[in-house]
Amino acid sequence: MVSTSSSDRDGGVDPLRPADHVDSPEPAPGDGPGVAQPKLGFVGWLRFGWRQLTSMRTAILLLLLLAIAAVPGSLVPQRSSDPNGVTQYFTDHPDTAPVLDSFQMFDVYTSAWFSAVYLLLFVSLIGCIIPRTKHHFEAMRARPPRTPVRLGRLAGYTTRPLPDGVDAETAVAEATKLLKQARYRVERYELRGEPSVSAERGYLRETGNLVFHTAMLGILVAVGVGGGFGFAGQRVIVEGQSFVNTLAAFDSFNPGRFFDPNSLAPYKLSLNELGVVYETQNQDALGQPIDFTAHVTITDQSGPAEDGQVKVNEPLRTHGTDVFLLGNGYAPHIVVRDPDGEIVFDDAVPFLPQDANLTSIGVVKVPDGLDAQLGMVGFFYPTQDVLGSGAYASTYPDLVLPVLTLNVYEGDLGIDSGVPTSVYTLDPSGMDQLTGGETGVDSIELKPGERTELPGGRGTVEFVDDSPDAPAAVPAGSAADRDYAQSVKRFASFDIHHDPTQGWVLVFAILILAGLLASLFVPRRRMWVKVATRRDGSRVIEFAGLARGEDPGLEAAVAAFADKLAGPVAGAESTHDTAKPTT
Amino acid sequence: MPSLDEISVLSVYSAMAVYAIAFIAFSIDLARRGAVAAKAADADAGLTGTADGQPAAEREPVGVLQAAATTKAAASTAAASAGGAGGAEASGRGSRWRSATADGASVAYGRSPALRVGVAMTVLAWLLHLTATLLRGFAAGRVPWANMYEFALTGTLIITTVFLIVLVVAKHDLRFLGTFVTGLVLVLLGAATVNFYVSVVPLPPALQSAWLVIHVFVATASVGFFALSFALSVVQLMQSRRESLVASAKAAKKSFLATLPDSNTLENLAYRVTIVGFILWTFTLMAGAIWAEAAWGRYWGWDTKEVWTFIIWVVYAGYIHARATRGWRGSRSAWLAIIGFSTVLFNFTVVNLFFKGLHAYSGLL
Ligand code: HEM
């Protein structure tokens, strides 16, 4: 074993701890800056500040502060996770919302004050682990400390007579061997003619602690880098349609700050079918969805098409991106014709679900082909029923009695001004309502396979039945009830992500867990075995231990070691063996 | 013919009745402790030992050295064969619990029939509780922890299980925690059956994952440990208050606390229980992140439930630091353990029920 020059320093192998750690020596009164040192230069103050920042006390305070700072983000909706909630909050609380906003309450986790707390904590962490790591490397090369002169006051102190016929050297040699087998680092010492072995184990405890704290830093960095270079995009795809992984094809796209759009792999994803299973047996849960499976095909320039599937909880990982199935709904197929029968609109329009039974709202915009721009706001009921109030509702999420109602508007759709508008909303401010509401004209109401006139001879609208065996369209109200199970296509809403450092985050997380286990459960302890000579000249073997940190099993370990080396004390009972109270 | 779920509910009610009996027995025991302490204080005989010694457990009769004395060659064999047990656990197999006075309790406490009844009833209640939980699982055809009612059912079962396991493995006699444990379980179970009960329904797709089994189970398990840590910390605080009074006030000596371990022992126990809970919670957080990645496409999004999981984790990290910081060890760190468990309860109740977020699985909406 290599010993360092300063190996005699007692405690030289203890882990380094901030000054206010319980294992650090008590500071002498007047130590450090305070009244005793009235003049503290700039460097002195700097050093003082750094000492404060890297103290245990500061770490606790910053940790508690971090916990408190995280709370508001759970009370107030956050832009990152719930943007609609934020909009709603502004509507509901027009007075307080701007005030909260000025404190970044809707962006708590990226706010200046939250960032300040965790960045300070991590600076403190760095300041704490760098010296400790350096020290730990040295400690691992240092030799176990000198055997104390008197073992009697140390933990688990016990003695055994030196058996007849065994000399002191042999006893210590055997002890050394056994300790080594028990993964102790050992060092022989000789003090006043009494041979002894000093042993230490559990360096892994400090290693674990350092790995734990460093890995936390690693997570922070990995998350930051991943956020900078990754992207997240959303795209709605109707059954039978497809999407190409390019910037323009996303409905919404959130790139990281350093994301390069050219790095998108241009593969094509086609949604063949979205399979949905609903509960039909359990009366307490009729219509509850049990399974969503999107059957897709992936194609790229190089290889053959590949079939795959995306389920909730089972993303599809392809071309460096992860594809998640996050939403679904119906996309009624609507055809609008002008008075001459020419098709001016023909599309499956995704309707956004509003409740568990998939009552859905959607918008049809017909910008060209008619005399004026036409807009329609539609409600779709997969299984329509009439409430007592006369209003419609859907009572089951699957297609049992699908009904589409449309309110027609004419005028300026507002899409020519260049201001981006949502495909899911219609701004009726510049338009005249032609059906529904206060117009006195009934809303258009269609079942799949039905068509009807638009008011005022503006043309016709048809709700196309997409079933494979669908008959030709008939006028509204005249379709015979049939099996509508396939009559309306579904859409899937996919989230497509790329996070280059996700794997690193996982690695650091595993290191955190492993480090934590080591640092909390590996006991760091010292053990000494010494052959001492009593006043009467008899010789005994002395055993004692010393805990470095939490070590509830120390005394038992010393006793067990003594027993193994020299046998149990005849007829005596060691401390850990007292009986429990009988009750 | 009642359904499995109906039998399960019946079993829950029976378990609650038996828990109530256990609770009363434990409370009587605490009251008796007060009386014993008072008597001891009056007699000023705090040292009447009760530790009726039991013979030491059997050990290997000879050590390595005796063998060495016989033949040098034999010595190395013996050392090699014994090597695996190096630094092993306590060998005191015959006696699980230290005597009361070895815990640092100032008054020894003898036999207590109430305590025995309490433990026996807790075991019985636990069996009924376990039956109820298993039946609920069979009725649903899946793990019984997928909505508030089931979280409560399984969570309280784990609290009792952890308590019973700790009774078996701990070297200290911790049965005095029975009042707290049975009381807490009773209140939570009662609240859950009255307010949270929902009939068996299939799992929504978002919950159909192996992570439901792992993540939620480990989370509930760590709650079991945190609950014990909370109880120990509360008793620790009471004890340390008593200790600071004990020199001056005679009344303090008469408290039931006099029969319990000293505050330092309680703190060490609380710490050990807490770090187990903390590790499990760390795992919970990570498993949750992995699951969130699969289900929602991101491993961390500061959803309300994620926020509170994080807060709990950070508070307990603060506790562990406090334990290692001069000036924070002792009562201050105990307060952090108490705050920690309060956030756990808050997370389970208020956050589940009233906060909006992706984790809306209470089954009550
Ligand atoms: C980023 C926030 C931090 C977290 C979440 C955290 C968490 C923890 C945890 C869980 C432990 C116990 C497990 C172990 O020993 O490895 C621990 C121990 C420790 N931490 Fe931190 N820590 C943080 C920051 C810091 C900082 C800034 C310092 C320096 C002042 C520090 C110094 C220590 C020390 C010295 C120990 C050992 C305690 C002992 O002796 O038992 N930690 N930390």
Side-chain angles (χ1 to χ4, degrees):
Chain A
M1 183 153 304
V2 200
S3 62
T4 58
S5 55
S6 59
S7 61
D8 280 354
R9 258 188 307 142
D10 194 35
V13 287
D14 266 348
L16 183 69
R17 292 283 182 255
D20 60 344
H21 188 279
V22 280
D23 289 343
S24 299
E26 290 271 358
D31 235 14
V35 272
Q37 278 167 295
K39 283 219 180 73
L40 206 58
F42 179 68
V43 177
W45 274 111
L46 225 54
R47 188 169 293 157
F48 171 69
W50 182 247
R51 275 248 302 273
Q52 293 304 306
L53 185 62
T54 56
S55 71
M56 293 292 285
R57 217 172 325 116
T58 307
I60 299 176
L61 291 177
L62 286 174
L63 279 169
L64 296 183
L65 210 56
L66 186 67
I68 293 169
V71 174
S74 70
L75 304 175
V76 180
Q78 298 296 296
R79 289 212 170 84
S80 55
S81 54
D82 184 12
N84 298 334
V86 178
T87 317
Q88 190 62 42
Y89 197 93
F90 269 85
T91 319
D92 296 347
H93 311 271
D95 297 332
T96 46
V99 181
L100 290 180
D101 202 18
S102 67
F103 289 104
Q104 298 177 295
M105 281 296 181
F106 301 108
D107 309 279
V108 166
Y109 305 105
T110 49
S111 68
W113 44 275
F114 189 80
S115 312
V117 175
Y118 78 76
L119 288 178
L120 263 182
L121 185 57
F122 276 91
V123 170
S124 166
L125 183 62
I126 295 170
C128 192
I129 52 181
I130 289 181
R132 278 173 55 193
T133 310
K134 196 165 146 282
H135 180 90
H136 186 52
F137 271 114
E138 286 163 13
M140 289 206 287
R141 279 179 281 121
R143 50 181 206 159
R146 189 178 284 287
T147 309
V149 180
R150 308 224 326 252
L151 293 180
R153 297 233 302 269
L154 292 167
Y157 174 74
T158 179
T159 63
R160 300 283 188 276
L162 188 67
D164 292 337
V166 180
D167 62 18
E169 280 304 325
T170 315
V172 171
E174 286 300 336
T176 307
K177 204 156 77 191
L178 278 190
L179 283 165
K180 263 191 181 160
Q181 277 165 4
R183 316 245 337 266
Y184 279 83
R185 292 238 315 263
V186 292
E187 188 73 31
R188 289 284 293 271
Y189 288 100
E190 179 106 15
L191 195 73
R192 292 199 222 113
E194 296 181 330
S196 67
V197 54
S198 166
E200 176 147 14
R201 56 152 290 161
Y203 294 80
L204 188 59
R205 187 184 184 90
E206 177 73 353
T207 311
N209 182 301
L210 291 170
V211 166
F212 167 82
H213 284 93
T214 313
M216 226 148 26
L217 208 63
I219 287 221
L220 187 73
V221 173
V223 168
V225 171
F229 287 95
F231 72 84
Q234 286 77 39
R235 169 67 199 239
V236 163
I237 308 178
V238 179
E239 285 173 316
Q241 299 186 357
S242 54
F243 141 92
V244 178
N245 186 31
T246 51
L247 211 49
F250 284 100
D251 297 333
S252 70
F253 192 77
N254 311 305
R257 196 170 303 168
F258 311 110
F259 175 73
D260 171 13
N262 295 324
S263 65
L264 283 177
Y267 64 88
K268 187 172 97 176
L269 181 137
S270 317
L271 176 64
N272 308 323
E273 193 201 340
L274 181 69
V276 183
V277 180
Y278 295 106
E279 175 65 49
T280 54
Q281 305 296 318
N282 186 334
Q283 292 300 313
D284 294 320
L286 278 187
Q288 185 189 307
I290 303 218
D291 183 59
F292 298 112
T293 306
H295 301 275
V296 299
T297 305
I298 305 282
T299 332
D300 61 20
Q301 294 115 324
S302 57
E306 252 181 71
D307 286 339
Q309 64 175 34
V310 193
K311 292 168 79 106
V312 181
N313 270 317
E314 289 172 35
L316 175 74
R317 311 204 187 259
T318 182
H319 294 80
T321 61
D322 303 327
V323 183
F324 302 89
L325 175 61
L326 287 197
N328 77 98
Y330 290 103
H333 183 178
I334 295 167
V335 172
V336 181
R337 293 183 172 82
D338 69 9
D340 300 330
E342 290 295 319
I343 292 179
V344 293
F345 181 92
D346 181 358
D347 208 353
V349 182
F351 274 43
L352 295 184
Q354 306 296 309
D355 60 26
N357 286 323
L358 294 190
T359 301
S360 308
I361 302 181
V363 165
V364 177
K365 293 179 182 174
V366 187
D368 306 306
L370 299 174
D371 292 345
Q373 289 188 333
L374 198 75
M376 292 189 274
V377 176
F379 278 82
F380 178 68
Y381 311 91
T383 299
Q384 181 241 32
D385 202 355
V386 184
L387 299 179
S389 65
Y392 288 179
S394 175
T395 53
Y396 191 71
D398 213 346
L399 297 167
V400 178
L401 186 64
V403 168
L404 174 72
T405 66
L406 293 168
N407 282 338
V408 185
Y409 295 80
E410 192 182 55
D412 181 9
L413 284 171
I415 53 178
D416 303 328
S417 61
V419 182
T421 54
S422 165
V423 294
Y424 298 109
T425 57
L426 183 77
D427 175 12
S429 53
M431 309 188 80
D432 298 323
Q433 187 166 0
L434 303 180
T435 67
E438 289 162 10
T439 58
V441 183
D442 281 347
S443 299
I444 292 172
E445 184 178 325
L446 297 169
K447 283 194 257 182
E450 293 182 340
R451 69 179 137 70
T452 189
E453 300 281 321
L454 285 166
R458 286 175 175 82
T460 60
V461 56
E462 178 185 343
F463 181 11
V464 179
D465 186 337
D466 279 329
S467 316
D469 56 346
V474 296
S478 62
D481 279 348
R482 50 192 299 266
D483 177 10
Y484 287 113
Q486 312 234 7
S487 59
V488 183
K489 284 190 173 150
R490 293 174 181 270
F491 72 85
S493 131
F494 292 106
D495 268 36
I496 299 174
H497 295 187
H498 170 60
D499 185 343
T501 57
Q502 195 160 290
W504 283 107
V505 174
L506 184 62
V507 168
F508 284 124
I510 291 168
L511 284 177
I512 282 183
L513 206 58
L516 201 56
L517 280 168
S519 85
L520 290 178
F521 293 121
V522 172
R524 171 127 188 195
R525 59 171 70 131
R526 293 189 188 145
M527 190 139 26
W528 291 281
V529 179
K530 178 157 88 176
V531 177
T533 312
R534 289 278 157 84
R535 285 227 181 83
D536 60 7
S538 69
R539 311 196 90 186
V540 292
I541 317 176
E542 295 185 319
F543 302 83
L546 183 67
R548 316 307 297 141
E550 193 75 20
D551 187 1
L554 176 67
E555 299 189 2
V558 176
F561 184 78
D563 292 347
K564 193 159 74 177
L565 186 76
V569 187
E573 226 181 74
S574 46
T575 41
H576 63 283
D577 249 353
T578 41
K580 67 169 174 175
T582 42
T583 53
Chain B
M1 181 68 196
S3 72
L4 282 184
D5 188 42
E6 279 159 4
I7 306 176
S8 163
V9 171
L10 212 66
S11 197
V12 172
Y13 283 123
S14 325
M16 281 166 59
V18 183
Y19 274 127
I21 298 173
F23 176 75
I24 293 168
F26 281 124
S27 307
I28 292 173
D29 172 64
L30 280 193
R32 230 193 114 241
R33 284 173 187 267
V36 169
K39 220 154 108 197
D42 290 341
D44 205 25
L47 287 177
T48 33
T50 49
D52 20 1
Q54 288 175 9
E58 294 232 337
R59 292 208 194 85
E60 249 184 281
V62 288
V64 173
L65 290 178
Q66 280 88 343
T70 347
T71 40
K72 285 237 154 84
S76 57
T77 343
S81 63
E89 279 301 294
S91 50
R93 232 171 297 136
S95 57
R96 291 204 315 270
W97 292 321
R98 288 162 182 254
S99 69
T101 39
D103 286 341
S106 44
V107 174
Y109 183 61
R111 290 161 175 277
S112 165
L115 198 54
R116 281 185 148 183
V117 171
V119 173
M121 287 299 120
T122 310
V123 172
L124 182 62
W126 177 79
L127 284 173
L128 288 165
H129 196 166
L130 179 69
T131 313
T133 313
L134 291 178
L135 285 177
R136 173 78 184 192
F138 290 131
R142 53 165 165 76
V143 290
W145 50 84
N147 54 50
M148 267 303 262
Y149 170 69
E150 293 173 0
F151 297 151
L153 191 63
T154 309
T156 46
L157 177 69
I158 291 179
I159 291 180
T160 315
T161 313
V162 170
F163 172 60
L164 292 175
I165 290 178
V166 166
L167 282 193
V168 173
V169 298
K171 292 195 207 93
H172 300 267
D173 181 0
L174 297 180
R175 286 172 297 173
F176 63 88
L177 292 175
T179 328
F180 166 78
V181 172
T182 52
L184 177 74
V185 167
L186 198 55
V187 168
L188 289 179
L189 263 188
T193 41
V194 173
N195 299 318
F196 302 157
Y197 178 80
V198 287
S199 43
V200 170
V201 296
L203 281 185
L207 288 185
Q208 296 169 15
S209 163
W211 290 110
L212 171 70
V213 182
I214 303 167
H215 165 77
V216 182
F217 182 77
V218 175
T220 7
S222 57
V223 172
F225 284 92
F226 286 150
L228 275 195
S229 126
F230 167 81
L232 286 164
S233 301
V234 170
V235 184
Q236 175 201 334
L237 282 179
M238 293 162 66
Q239 187 71 294
S240 81
R241 235 196 77 212
R242 190 188 70 90
E243 282 162 3
S244 62
L245 290 177
V246 83
S248 51
K250 191 149 175 275
K253 292 186 186 170
K254 297 187 176 180
S255 154
F256 71 95
L257 291 165
T259 67
L260 304 186
D262 63 18
S263 65
N264 196 36
T265 309
L266 288 168
E267 180 178 350
N268 287 339
L269 288 168
Y271 176 74
R272 271 169 236 158
V273 175
T274 315
I275 56 177
V276 175
F278 182 75
I279 299 242
L280 295 176
W281 195 256
T282 310
F283 181 83
T284 301
L285 200 158
M286 291 174 181
I290 296 174
W291 187 8
E293 197 276 333
W296 302 319
R298 84 287 183 294
Y299 52 81
W300 196 262
W302 297 107
D303 177 63
T304 33
K305 201 79 189 180
E306 291 168 344
V307 171
W308 281 94
T309 305
F310 174 77
I311 291 173
I312 291 166
W313 190 76
V314 171
V315 170
Y316 278 105
Y319 164 84
I320 293 177
H321 274 213
R323 261 278 298 187
T325 306
R326 195 176 300 127
W328 280 76
R329 187 165 244 184
S331 296
R332 281 197 192 178
S333 68
W335 275 111
L336 285 182
I338 290 169
I339 293 173
F341 189 63
S342 315
T343 51
V344 169
L345 280 186
F346 185 81
N347 182 37
F348 178 69
T349 55
V350 179
V351 175
N352 271 4
L353 292 175
F354 301 112
F355 285 31
K356 166 174 178 241
L358 291 168
H359 285 78
Y361 299 130
S362 64
L364 302 173
L365 304 171

